[in-house]
């Protein structure tokens, strides 16, 4: 069993803080002192500074001003607030863009941007890289021994792409390296004989463009991989001076929930993962949908570093200014969503931003300190309440989530699924597909890790890999050895179609998964959104599963080879074809779900499968829709989080003895207030 391992020896507790931009208030020094008072009042212990401070740090080329930052870090430290220090590369001063236009990004249409906004820079530009190296080195030299420095925050939300000449050249070099300088290999991988696309010189290759090539999936995939590698390379160079001068200070970079970059690759080069979570609470659907999707992203980012706690680097304390309709968080929702992150493995709750800006584009975005400037607001009270709660939960820092399920979510697979022309338009949302298989476990309160397809699977009892359209080399073998040694695997329709280059597997689908599933998928029927087919259980019923379920959108027409048929289609010309099968391999089992089934099927099937695999729920208890439970543990003591994502009181009936944080027995039930939560404990079994 793993042990509790807090992320920061000098601050071994849960972090609470915000993005802090004191340079916006440089001309009003009283505000700086008032901020210190308010930070103590809100029970914060970290602030992230410097994300977009380049023009305050280097107002003119080569002229540096660190005085304001010295003063801020000193003041904060004296007030018990540690610094998460960002490198400023996310936005550059106008002088830099004016003097060195190459630092500005070029769009896919081959038009160079003007100076403006942020994140508008070329990751290849040697000038930009050099300017970033200089300022990062100065920051590291100056603050390496500052007692308040806790963590480096590299840039901000890396993302986007640049199509300039420098990037085109870098892309060609990347391709030459990937294909061993062999253009023929590239031509084969991209299938360029089709439509006379065969390249005869590396110089002929251009990045994808709406005014050029945008239908060659092999090119699209490699371009996205290049953008990931180039951005990662840029980040590695940002990190270099920091690690050289301050080797003991960990680094992170804040991820977004969705991005063109494959953050899995970036995560390999940072010490810890952090991300910015902005769920659309109180939108048109039930809040538990939003909660479930948010939980999925938390789990995904927790899983990128083997389950090590992550940081919730940003969230809004009230509303955003960029969602079409940003409703205020209903009473309770702020604490609930903050504690939800902690339940899923975050060791922090942080906000964008500390004090609301007076001008420019984010002046109307929620902040801890409103324009009114004092603490007598609902939002400030909510934040302070979270601060108090995190203080009480100190011993949770460094605990982990004991997941027995791995859900495969692989962003390259998503690129391929969504980039393919067919089998349906509008194209499929891979994330939605995966979420349909995450939701049943979320409802049951069963923790799951969310992994890319190339991760080790040892130690899991169940692996679910929905829509594994792309199968990368080694994946089928890894899945097979997992199953042979007793694991249970679930695969679905539209799997085993293409290899890592988007070349279709010949010889029958699901390609390299065919032996594992024991089925041959001959054809796939696409249904109109309003169309339905249904599937019915065969024979005595598997695990007592009976009745029929409706299916929609995609129906695989499969033949059972070595697999046993559990359910069959009930309608259309493929009535009687298998719709759910199980194949026994070694000590384990492989299930194949042939069609997109209604949520009732997902709930029933996965509920029974989890029980069959002996998978534990976070807590033995009963609750209604919209309530959720999650667990973290230090190996000896479990922390059970109960969440109510509805606007009604919700009872929870316990089927096992639990205690509250003070050790008092919890009895056999609890009432969760609307948007309320409760944290209980028990000894680990
Ligand atoms: C992102 C950025 C922040 C801020 C927030 C607003 O997460 O990192 O700088 O713009 O969005 O929601
Ligand atoms: Zn570029």
């Amino acid at each position: 069993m793993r042990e509790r391992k807090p992320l920061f020896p000098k601050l071994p507790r849960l972090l609470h803080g915000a993005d802090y931009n004191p340079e916006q208030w440089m001309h009003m020094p009283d505000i700086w002192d008032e901020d210190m008072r308010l930070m103590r009042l809100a029970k914060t212990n970290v602030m992230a500074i410097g994300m977009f401070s380049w023009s305050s740090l280097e107002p003119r080329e080569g002229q540096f001003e660190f005085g304001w930052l010295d003063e801020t870090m000193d003041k904060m430290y004296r007030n018990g607030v540690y610094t998460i220090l960002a490198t400023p590369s996310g936005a550059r001063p106008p002088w830099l863009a004016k003097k060195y236009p190459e630092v500005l990004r070029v769009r896919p249409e081959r038009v160079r941007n003007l100076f403006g906004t942020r994140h508008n820079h070329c990751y290849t530009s040697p000038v930009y890289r050099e300017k970033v190296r200089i300022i990062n080195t100065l920051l590291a030299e100056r603050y390496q021994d500052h007692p308040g420095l806790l963590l480096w925050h590299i840039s901000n939300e890396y993302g986007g792409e640049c199509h300039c000449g420098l990037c085109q050249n870098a892309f060609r070099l990347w391709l030459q390296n990937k294909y061993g300088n062999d253009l023929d290999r590239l031509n084969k991988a991209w299938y360029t004989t089709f439509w006379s696309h065969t390249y005869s010189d590396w110089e002929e290759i251009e990045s994808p463009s709406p005014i050029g090539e945008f239908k060659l999936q092999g090119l699209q995939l490699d371009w996205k991989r290049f953008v990931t590698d180039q951005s990662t390379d840029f980040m590695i160079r940002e990190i270099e001076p920091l690690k050289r001068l301050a080797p003991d200070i960990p680094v992170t970079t804040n991820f977004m929930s969705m991005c063109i970059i494959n953050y899995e690759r970036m995560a390999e080069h940072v010490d810890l993962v952090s991300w910015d979570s902005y769920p659309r609470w109180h939108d048109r659907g039930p809040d538990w949908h939003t909660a479930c999707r948010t939980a999925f992203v938390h789990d995904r980012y927790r899983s990128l570093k083997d389950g090590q706690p992550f940081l919730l680097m940003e969230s809004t304390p009230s509303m955003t200014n960029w969602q079409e309709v940003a409703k205020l968080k209903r009473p309770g929702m702020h604490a609930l969503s903050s504690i939800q992150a902690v339940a899923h493995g975050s060791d922090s709750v942080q906000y964008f931003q500390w004090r609301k800006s007076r001008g420019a584009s984010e002046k109307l975005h929620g902040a801890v300190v409103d324009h009114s400037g004092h603490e007598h607001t609902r939002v400030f009270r909510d934040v302070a309440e979270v601060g108090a709660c995190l203080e009480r939960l100190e011993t949770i820092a460094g605990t982990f989530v004991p997941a027995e399920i791995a859900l495969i979510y692989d962003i390259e697979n998503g690129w391929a699924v969504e980039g393919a022309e067919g089998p349906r338009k509008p194209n499929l949302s891979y994330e939605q597909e995966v979420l349909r298989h995450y939701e049943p476990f979320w409802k049951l309160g069963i923790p799951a890790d969310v992994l890319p397809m190339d991760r080790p699977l040892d130690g899991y009892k169940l692996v679910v890999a929905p829509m594994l359209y792309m199968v990368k080399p080694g994946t089928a073998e890894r899945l097979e050895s997992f199953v042979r040694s007793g694991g249970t695997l679930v695969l679905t329709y539209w799997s085993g179609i293409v290899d890592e280059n988007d070349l279709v597997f010949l010889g029958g689908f699901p390609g390299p998964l065919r032996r594992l599933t024991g089925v041959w998928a001959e054809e796939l029927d696409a249904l109109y959104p309003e169309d339905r087919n249904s599937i019915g259980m065969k024979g005595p019923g598997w695990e007592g599963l009976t009745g029929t379920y409706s299916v929609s959108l995609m129906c695989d027409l499969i033949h059972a080879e070595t697999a046993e048929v559990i359910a069959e289609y009930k309608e259309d010309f493929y009535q009687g074809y298998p719709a759910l099968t199980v194949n026994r391999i070694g000590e384990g089992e492989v299930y194949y779900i042939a069609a997109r089934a209604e949520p009732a099927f997902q709930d029933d099937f996965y509920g029974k499968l989890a029980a069959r695999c002996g998978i534990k729920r976070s807590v033995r208890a009963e609750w209604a829709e919209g309530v959720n439970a999650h667990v973290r543990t230090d190996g000896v003591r479990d922390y059970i989080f109960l969440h109510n994502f509805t606007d009604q009181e919700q009872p929870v009936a316990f089927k096992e003895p639990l205690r509250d944080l003070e050790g008092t027995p919890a009895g056999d039930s609890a009432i969760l207030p609307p948007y309320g939560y409760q944290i209980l404990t028990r000894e680990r079994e």
Side-chain angles (χ1 to χ4, degrees):
M1 182 57 85
R2 315 162 59 145
E3 279 174 21
R4 172 166 111 93
K5 197 160 176 276
L7 294 168
F8 306 98
K10 57 173 144 174
L11 190 60
R13 46 171 56 190
L14 299 175
L15 309 186
H16 189 221
D19 281 13
Y20 181 39
N21 299 289
E23 70 272 31
Q24 292 180 16
W25 306 98
M26 213 120 48
H27 54 295
M28 296 170 80
D30 291 353
I31 283 196
W32 287 17
D33 291 324
E34 177 64 353
D35 277 337
M36 297 305 129
R37 183 184 76 84
L38 292 170
M39 284 177 194
R40 288 197 310 270
L41 212 56
K43 298 190 182 299
T44 61
N45 53 17
V46 288
M47 288 288 149
I49 333 180
M51 264 68 93
F52 303 113
S53 307
W54 199 331
S55 63
S56 301
L57 292 168
E58 190 181 2
R60 267 168 290 277
E61 187 170 15
Q63 178 191 318
F64 295 94
E65 287 180 13
F66 292 107
W68 66 271
L69 187 53
D70 296 351
E71 199 183 324
T72 306
M73 286 177 65
D74 292 348
K75 255 192 194 156
M76 290 199 322
Y77 185 61
R78 284 199 300 275
N79 283 278
V81 178
Y82 284 82
T83 295
I84 296 176
L85 188 53
T87 63
S89 63
R92 77 236 57 80
W95 61 255
L96 213 165
K98 180 87 180 157
K99 182 158 178 202
Y100 308 103
E102 72 162 55
V103 306
L104 294 171
R105 239 171 234 189
V106 170
R107 300 176 181 213
E109 299 82 3
R110 309 304 193 252
V111 178
R112 192 180 291 278
N113 288 348
L114 301 177
F115 172 78
T117 71
R118 53 179 172 175
H119 300 140
N120 176 12
H121 52 270
C122 168
Y123 289 125
T124 306
S125 157
V127 171
Y128 200 63
R129 286 174 172 228
E130 176 60 7
K131 291 294 176 196
V132 170
R133 189 194 63 78
I134 291 171
I135 197 156
N136 287 7
T137 306
L138 290 173
L139 286 170
E141 280 169 358
R142 194 169 186 96
Y143 300 108
Q144 53 185 326
D145 296 321
H146 196 290
L149 178 62
L150 189 71
L151 171 69
W152 293 110
H153 177 300
I154 313 300
S155 202
N156 189 72
E157 296 188 337
Y158 282 113
E161 53 186 43
C162 173
H163 296 258
C164 78
L166 295 165
C167 288
Q168 302 293 346
N169 285 336
F171 181 42
R172 290 178 199 123
L173 279 173
W174 184 93
L175 290 169
Q176 284 168 4
N177 185 36
K178 172 166 181 180
Y179 293 99
N181 246 325
D182 183 348
L183 200 51
D184 195 40
R185 266 182 65 198
L186 175 143
N187 277 313
K188 287 206 174 92
W190 292 2
Y191 210 68
T192 55
T193 42
F194 187 72
W195 286 352
S196 259
H197 270 48
T198 310
Y199 296 102
S200 62
D201 189 330
W202 295 94
E203 289 300 310
E204 292 159 7
I205 300 172
E206 285 269 344
S207 62
S209 169
I211 58 163
E213 180 47 62
F214 60 93
K215 282 188 173 262
L216 194 58
Q217 276 96 17
L219 164 65
Q220 301 272 5
L221 281 175
D222 274 345
W223 170 251
K224 290 195 168 84
R225 289 173 178 138
F226 162 76
V227 170
T228 290
D229 282 1
Q230 196 70 350
S231 309
T232 305
D233 184 63
F234 181 90
M235 183 189 76
I236 290 170
R237 281 158 201 264
E238 279 219 53
I239 294 172
E240 188 281 325
L242 312 177
K243 278 286 175 190
R244 180 162 45 77
L245 293 161
D248 297 334
I249 305 294
V251 303
T252 190
T253 186
N254 53 338
F255 293 156
M256 296 179 267
S257 71
M258 293 301 277
C259 182
I260 166 177
I261 291 180
N262 181 356
Y263 284 147
E264 290 147 22
R265 301 295 309 278
M266 274 196 164
E268 294 165 20
H269 303 277
V270 294
D271 298 303
L272 53 109
V273 165
S274 61
W275 83 283
D276 302 344
S277 175
Y278 292 96
R280 289 165 207 263
W281 297 118
H282 317 305
D283 65 2
R284 291 198 176 97
D287 276 312
W288 71 261
H289 280 175
T290 308
C292 179
R293 200 244 154 189
T294 306
F296 168 78
V297 188
H298 286 318
D299 290 348
R300 176 175 172 222
Y301 286 142
R302 184 192 65 242
S303 306
L304 286 187
K305 283 241 165 250
D306 285 337
Q308 169 184 278
F310 62 93
L311 299 181
L312 176 65
M313 186 59 82
E314 290 180 27
S315 59
T316 178
S318 62
M319 29 93 93
T320 68
N321 67 336
W322 50 264
Q323 292 166 358
E324 310 82 78
V325 177
K327 296 196 75 154
L328 294 177
K329 288 188 196 169
R330 274 31 211 167
M333 185 45 105
H334 179 64
L336 177 64
S337 56
S338 300
I339 299 303
Q340 182 197 25
V342 174
H344 283 265
S346 176
D347 270 8
S348 80
V349 174
Q350 292 164 255
Y351 315 113
F352 176 84
Q353 62 176 327
W354 170 253
R355 183 180 280 273
K356 221 177 238 193
S357 306
R358 185 151 186 220
S361 86
E362 292 186 323
K363 61 182 175 297
L364 302 179
H365 191 288
V368 178
V369 182
D370 208 333
H371 290 134
S372 59
H374 54 66
E375 68 270 36
H376 307 293
T377 62
R378 186 180 75 105
V379 169
F380 193 94
R381 280 192 298 273
D382 278 0
V383 166
E385 183 200 314
V386 168
C389 174
L390 297 180
E391 274 187 5
R392 281 202 309 279
L393 299 179
E394 186 184 322
T395 53
I396 287 184
T399 59
F400 55 95
V401 172
E404 298 179 310
I405 297 180
L407 185 70
I408 304 297
Y409 173 82
D410 189 292
I411 190 166
E412 291 201 353
N413 182 49
W415 293 343
V417 165
E418 290 166 19
E421 298 190 60
R424 310 184 48 84
K425 286 183 198 307
N427 279 345
L428 296 159
S429 159
Y430 172 60
E431 194 202 61
Q432 289 301 325
E433 286 295 326
V434 176
L435 272 171
R436 295 170 49 75
H437 296 263
Y438 176 84
E439 194 178 291
F441 300 115
W442 183 87
K443 287 180 181 161
L444 287 166
I446 294 178
D449 287 343
V450 179
L451 304 173
M453 73 174 87
D454 49 11
R455 296 296 167 99
L457 300 170
D458 324 308
Y460 294 108
K461 291 180 174 167
L462 172 62
V463 172
V464 181
M467 200 174 270
L468 202 62
Y469 170 78
M470 172 188 280
V471 182
K472 295 185 207 166
T475 302
E477 294 74 5
R478 202 170 315 106
L479 291 173
E480 178 160 344
S481 83
F482 165 75
V483 175
R484 282 200 180 280
S485 54
T488 300
L489 170 67
V490 179
L491 293 164
T492 75
Y493 53 94
W494 209 227
S495 290
I497 310 294
V498 300
D499 69 9
E500 77 281 13
N501 295 315
D502 208 62
L503 289 175
V504 166
F505 291 115
L506 301 179
F509 301 133
L513 307 172
R514 184 166 169 186
R515 197 161 50 111
L516 204 54
T517 56
V519 304
W520 170 38
E522 186 182 344
E523 290 181 279
L524 184 116
D525 195 20
L527 278 61
Y528 280 99
E530 62 279 12
D531 289 348
R532 293 287 177 276
N533 199 320
S534 61
I535 62 173
M537 298 304 133
K538 232 187 124 209
W542 168 88
E543 292 287 317
L545 201 63
T546 53
T548 57
Y549 294 94
S550 123
V551 297
S552 61
L553 288 171
M554 297 177 91
C555 297
D556 242 351
L557 275 52
I558 63 173
H559 307 279
E561 293 179 321
T562 54
E564 181 189 320
V565 180
I566 300 174
E568 294 173 342
Y569 287 105
K570 305 282 276 182
E571 288 154 50
D572 216 325
F573 75 92
Y574 43 96
Q575 178 182 13
Y577 276 50
L580 173 67
T581 61
V582 58
N583 199 32
R584 297 193 175 79
I585 301 241
E587 304 288 302
E589 293 180 332
V590 183
Y591 292 83
Y592 190 89
I593 305 173
R596 187 199 266 191
E598 61 174 316
F601 170 84
Q602 302 290 97
D603 293 347
D604 292 350
F605 172 70
Y606 281 117
K608 294 197 181 291
L609 189 61
R612 184 178 170 92
C613 298
I615 288 167
K616 286 193 267 320
R617 300 171 69 196
S618 298
V619 61
R620 287 199 292 280
E622 276 166 20
W623 56 70
E625 185 175 274
V627 174
N628 181 250
H630 213 257
V631 59
R632 286 182 74 166
T633 184
D634 58 18
V636 179
R637 190 183 194 207
D638 289 348
Y639 296 89
I640 316 290
F641 297 78
L642 300 172
H643 297 135
N644 174 9
F645 290 101
T646 75
D647 59 4
Q648 305 293 317
E649 276 189 355
Q650 295 285 356
V652 178
F654 304 134
K655 305 285 173 211
E656 62 176 311
L658 301 165
R659 292 173 182 275
D660 68 13
L661 287 166
E662 284 71 43
T664 312
D668 48 17
S669 67
I671 304 277
L672 300 175
Y675 300 121
Y677 71 94
Q678 197 169 15
I679 304 169
L680 299 166
T681 65
R682 74 173 166 224
E683 308 268 291
R684 181 130 194 96
E685 280 168 20

